Amino acid sequence: MRIRITQLLFLAGILPVMLFSQSENPYAANIEKLKLLIDERLEQPGGDTASAYILKEIRSNCGNEYICQRDHIREVLSYLWHKGAFPAGVPIAKEEERLAERYGDLEDLIHANEGLSGFYYWLNRMDKVYYYLEKLVVLYEKAGMHHKVIEKKFHILDAKVWRLEDREALRGLFKLLDESIELGHELTTARIREKLLEIGVNMDSTEMVREQVEALENLVLADPIIHDEYTIAHVRAIGRANLLLKEGKLKEAKTYYQKALDIVRQFKDTGREVAILHTLARLEWESQNAARAKVYLDTAFIYADRLNYRSYLADNYELKTEIAAAEKRFEDAYRYLRLQNIHKAAQDSSSARFNPSIYYLDLEKRQLDAETEKQALELKLSKNRFLTMIVIVSLVILLALGLLVGLQKQRQGKRKIAEQYSVIQQQAEQLKQLDAAKSRFFANVSHELRTPLSLIAGPIRTLQKGNTSPEKQEKLLAMANRGTKDLRHLVDEILDLGKMEAGKMTVSLEATLVASFFQRYFSQFESLADRNGIDYRFHIEIGKEVVVQFDREKCRQIIFNLLSNAFKFTPAGGQVRADLQLKDGQLRLAVADTGKGIHPDDLPHVFDRYFQSNRPDATASGG
């Protein structure tokens, strides 16, 4: 005969977390009022769905203050746990989880997940239990609480050992035991030894059971026992009781079971109390002490029924059926048997909702799918990184090319600007020179105008004095007339220059005997040559009958300008020559003199308008 402790292992890790001291809680008064309201709500029909009402009251008391909400929720969860209101506890624990995630509170997140795994356990939702246990492993690893990581891994392995009969899981338990011993965490070590003890009992391995019991008994516990050590005291008492039962020492075994019962009652561990009461009831019945067995069964039934422990209720009715049948209370036996089957069917139905084999196979499938998805994502990310790198490299190359092109264009632009600046400077210099040349030109023109004006003004003044003979008057008028003609010619030349600049110069062609035309104008300079002592000769190599179409006035201007300049710059004793030819359908007039000539620096500018030499030796003659 032995106590059944298979389903109590989760409580060792969950129940302590659900206990919350209110001695230092500043919201204790509000929480006590809330507990009274919860009691009223739970007593109403559908009281298990009171979570929405509870959360509303908490928010009413706390508003959006996180610490206030957290402390209220913890007290309420502990209260609901002891009340056995597990359906109402789940939404409250989920609210605690939501708040903890929102505020990044790792400690509260752990507390919420511990609560959820415990509530779901008593609701026989083992799929949810193992889901939150696996989350707790991750959270405790993040918190650096290695002994709690071992504890949660232990609870997960527990299911594999019993429900899957997994030998690998058993070896995992021994490995966890070694890790827990190395960390020096006695409570977790005791829980693992408790599991190994139970496995040893079921495997009928006395050696394994004895090893674990003796190891637990070697632990030194506080006196009186403190909360963190009560599980160790309870487990080793149960273990020793099982060994004594196996040795047939019933009385000594009952003593250790009673010792275990006193320990769990001291710490209000209702689930463990129900299990021990059932064991003691079985022992008393087998010892033919039916009355005492019934007392144990009735006490256990009150707790199991209040907490809706289906499996314990089925066990309770099973033993009651056996006792009633033995006492020939067949009507009671039948009723107990029917109730036993009802609770057993309900338990089987709840257990059927969770198949660990399917759960872990599905978990492995999800992990495999996640790994496949991860690999696909990594491959996609790798491709994206490669494409991104190509795009970046391409952009860098394009940017570099753009910069090179921009620099090249900038250089070209600078060169172009420099060239344009140079041209502008040259043009400015030319305009400056042109302006100076125009100034000199008009100064010379003014000088030239004085001669004909003097020739006009002189005779007029003489005539104004009177007392002149008619012959002399005629001579003076002829001189004035010649001055007038010379002045008109100068003005016409100036106007012609203006027309040339405006592009409005016209040519008036006339059929002319070339030789006689040029002969007449060449001859007019013979008297000037005699007066200045200059050897002047001209030669016309064109027949007298040759007629050419040309502008007579402009040709006259050309002859006078060339010969006038030649005589102007030729000193006495010098020579002036004029030659006229008709060659290849063109007239060719060449004038040469033995004057000082044009300086080589001025030769390129002889056909520039208004240009006059600005050399120092040219100022006297006017250019």
Side-chain angles (χ1 to χ4, degrees):
M1 181 66 195
R2 62 181 178 80
I3 184 171
R4 189 181 73 180
I5 56 177
T6 305
Q7 294 180 332
L8 296 179
L9 293 175
F10 292 103
L11 300 179
I14 296 170
L15 184 56
V17 179
M18 300 308 301
L19 300 177
F20 185 80
S21 175
Q22 66 181 35
S23 59
E24 298 179 0
N25 192 336
Y27 312 107
N30 287 339
I31 291 172
E32 289 304 314
K33 293 179 182 178
L34 180 59
K35 288 179 181 179
L36 294 175
L37 294 174
I38 291 173
D39 287 340
E40 293 178 4
R41 185 75 179 187
L42 291 176
E43 290 173 0
Q44 296 176 11
D48 284 351
T49 61
S51 56
Y53 168 78
I54 295 170
L55 289 173
K56 180 181 177 182
E57 290 297 321
I58 291 174
R59 295 188 185 108
S60 176
N61 288 340
C62 299
N64 292 324
E65 186 182 345
Y66 170 60
I67 300 300
C68 178
Q69 290 187 65
R70 181 198 65 187
D71 289 355
H72 275 70
I73 286 174
R74 284 197 174 190
E75 285 283 5
V76 167
L77 285 175
S78 180
Y79 189 66
L80 292 173
W81 178 271
H82 290 295
K83 295 284 289 184
F86 304 125
V90 169
I92 308 298
K94 285 187 175 181
E95 177 65 12
E96 182 184 23
E97 180 185 31
R98 186 189 69 80
L99 286 172
E101 288 176 345
R102 179 181 176 183
Y103 289 96
D105 192 326
L106 182 59
E107 180 185 351
D108 286 352
L109 191 58
I110 290 173
H111 185 273
N113 279 268
E114 288 280 15
L116 285 165
S117 65
F119 283 124
Y120 277 121
Y121 173 78
W122 290 113
L123 292 171
N124 290 307
R125 290 294 307 274
M126 299 306 294
D127 55 336
K128 293 289 187 181
V129 172
Y130 289 105
Y131 169 76
Y132 284 106
L133 286 175
E134 286 157 1
K135 284 187 68 174
L136 284 166
V137 169
V138 176
L139 292 173
Y140 279 126
E141 285 177 343
K142 188 175 181 180
M145 301 174 68
H146 301 296
H147 62 283
K148 299 299 289 185
V149 173
I150 292 173
E151 178 184 303
K152 299 309 159 186
K153 287 182 177 179
F154 159 66
H155 291 316
I156 294 171
L157 286 172
D158 175 25
K160 291 186 177 182
V161 169
W162 287 115
R163 297 175 183 270
L164 303 179
E165 299 180 357
D166 190 339
R167 294 290 176 176
E168 186 64 32
L170 182 58
R171 285 190 288 272
L173 282 177
F174 279 106
K175 182 179 178 181
L176 283 178
L177 178 63
D178 293 338
E179 291 180 13
S180 183
I181 292 172
E182 184 177 351
L183 285 171
H185 195 270
E186 294 180 348
L187 183 59
T188 304
T189 301
R191 289 169 185 160
I192 298 174
R193 289 193 184 280
E194 177 186 15
K195 170 53 63 178
L196 293 172
L197 187 155
E198 184 184 4
I199 294 171
V201 170
N202 282 274
M203 293 173 60
D204 201 22
S205 174
T206 303
E207 181 181 353
M208 186 174 174
V209 173
R210 192 178 305 279
E211 177 185 355
Q212 302 307 322
V213 170
E214 290 175 354
L216 291 171
E217 289 176 340
N218 286 334
L219 297 176
V220 178
L221 305 182
D223 188 17
I225 298 170
I226 62 175
H227 182 273
D228 287 343
E229 294 179 346
Y230 101 90
T231 301
I232 299 173
H234 159 261
V235 168
R236 68 186 185 183
I238 293 294
R240 178 57 65 182
N242 275 281
L243 281 175
L244 291 169
L245 277 179
K246 191 170 183 63
E247 294 170 359
K249 299 176 181 180
L250 181 61
K251 184 177 180 180
E252 292 87 342
K254 285 197 292 184
T255 301
Y256 274 95
Y257 282 128
Q258 190 62 51
K259 182 179 179 180
L261 181 62
D262 293 339
I263 292 171
V264 298
R265 280 177 170 172
Q266 179 185 346
F267 291 93
K268 296 183 174 58
D269 190 342
T270 308
R272 290 177 185 267
E273 183 178 352
V274 172
I276 297 171
L277 286 170
H278 278 167
T279 300
L280 287 171
R282 174 65 66 180
L283 290 176
E284 294 296 343
W285 170 244
E286 291 180 356
S287 300
Q288 298 182 354
N289 190 349
R292 193 163 183 79
K294 290 177 184 179
V295 172
Y296 284 134
L297 282 175
D298 290 342
T299 305
F301 178 83
I302 292 172
Y303 294 131
D305 185 56
R306 184 201 306 167
L307 299 178
N308 198 29
Y309 291 167
R310 296 287 190 177
S311 60
Y312 289 137
L313 288 171
D315 291 345
N316 193 283
Y317 282 121
E318 180 182 7
L319 186 53
K320 283 183 176 180
T321 301
E322 188 176 336
I323 293 172
E327 294 177 346
K328 301 187 184 304
R329 293 184 289 111
F330 298 115
E331 185 176 344
D332 289 339
Y334 175 74
R335 180 166 55 86
Y336 293 149
L337 179 62
R338 185 170 58 83
L339 291 170
Q340 174 195 347
N341 290 333
I342 290 173
H343 288 292
K344 193 171 186 299
Q347 173 65 21
D348 291 343
S349 175
S350 298
S351 300
R353 290 202 302 264
F354 177 71
N355 187 322
S357 300
I358 296 174
Y359 174 78
Y360 284 104
L361 286 173
D362 183 63
L363 179 61
E364 290 178 4
K365 181 178 181 299
R366 291 200 306 269
Q367 290 173 342
L368 180 60
D369 292 342
E371 185 65 26
T372 303
E373 184 178 353
K374 180 182 176 182
Q375 291 176 356
L377 182 60
E378 287 177 351
L379 180 60
K380 184 177 180 180
L381 288 174
S382 177
K383 289 181 178 178
N384 288 341
R385 282 195 295 268
F386 179 70
L387 291 174
T388 302
M389 184 177 67
I390 291 176
V391 171
I392 291 173
V393 171
S394 301
L395 289 174
V396 169
I397 292 173
L398 289 173
L399 181 61
L401 290 174
L403 287 173
L404 289 174
V405 171
L407 288 172
Q408 185 66 23
K409 287 186 176 180
Q410 187 180 28
R411 288 176 186 155
Q412 291 176 352
K414 286 182 177 179
R415 283 198 299 269
K416 189 173 181 180
I417 290 172
E419 291 172 358
Q420 290 175 347
Y421 180 71
S422 177
V423 171
I424 290 170
Q425 282 186 319
Q426 291 175 3
Q427 290 176 345
E429 186 63 29
Q430 290 174 358
L431 288 172
K432 186 177 178 182
Q433 293 175 359
L434 181 60
D435 185 62
K438 283 185 176 182
S439 297
R440 289 195 302 273
F441 171 78
F442 284 111
N444 291 333
V445 167
S446 299
H447 178 75
E448 293 290 339
L449 289 173
R450 288 175 184 172
T451 301
L453 286 173
S454 298
L455 292 176
I456 296 171
I460 291 174
R461 281 196 297 270
T462 302
L463 290 172
Q464 284 178 340
K465 291 178 182 180
N467 301 322
T468 55
S469 63
E471 293 83 4
K472 190 173 183 179
Q473 288 180 358
E474 185 176 354
K475 185 176 181 180
L476 289 171
L477 289 172
M479 289 176 61
N481 187 41
R482 284 197 301 271
T484 303
K485 289 182 179 180
D486 291 339
L487 180 60
R488 187 176 64 249
H489 287 306
L490 284 173
V491 172
D492 288 342
E493 288 181 3
I494 294 171
L495 292 174
D496 287 344
L497 286 174
K499 291 180 180 179
M500 287 176 65
E501 285 194 330
K504 295 181 178 179
M505 178 68 76
T506 59
V507 178
S508 179
L509 299 178
E510 295 181 68
T512 308
L513 291 170
V514 178
S516 61
F517 178 83
F518 280 89
Q519 176 75 32
R520 182 172 65 255
Y521 288 109
F522 283 164
S523 299
Q524 291 180 6
F525 286 89
E526 290 177 344
S527 60
L528 180 61
D530 292 339
R531 190 168 54 249
N532 293 336
I534 295 173
D535 182 11
Y536 169 58
R537 300 177 187 179
F538 61 89
H539 180 65
I540 300 174
E541 296 183 8
I542 300 175
K544 294 181 179 181
E545 294 82 10
V546 175
V547 178
V548 176
Q549 295 276 349
F550 58 80
D551 189 319
R552 295 179 183 178
E553 180 56 27
K554 290 181 176 54
C555 282
R556 183 198 66 78
Q557 289 177 2
I558 292 171
I559 294 168
F560 269 78
N561 283 337
L562 290 174
L563 290 176
S564 295
N565 280 324
F567 281 99
K568 183 187 295 185
F569 293 100
T570 302
Q575 296 179 354
V576 175
R577 297 286 185 268
D579 295 313
L580 182 66
Q581 295 179 339
L582 181 60
K583 188 176 182 180
D584 299 329
Q586 291 185 339
L587 285 174
R588 177 182 175 87
L589 172 61
V591 175
D593 61 68
T594 57
K596 61 182 180 179
I598 300 174
H599 193 278
D601 292 341
D602 294 335
L603 282 173
H605 305 290
V606 293
F607 292 105
D608 292 346
R609 291 191 198 119
Y610 310 118
F611 177 78
Q612 293 180 344
S613 178
N614 56 6
R615 298 187 60 77
D617 56 352
T619 56
S621 56

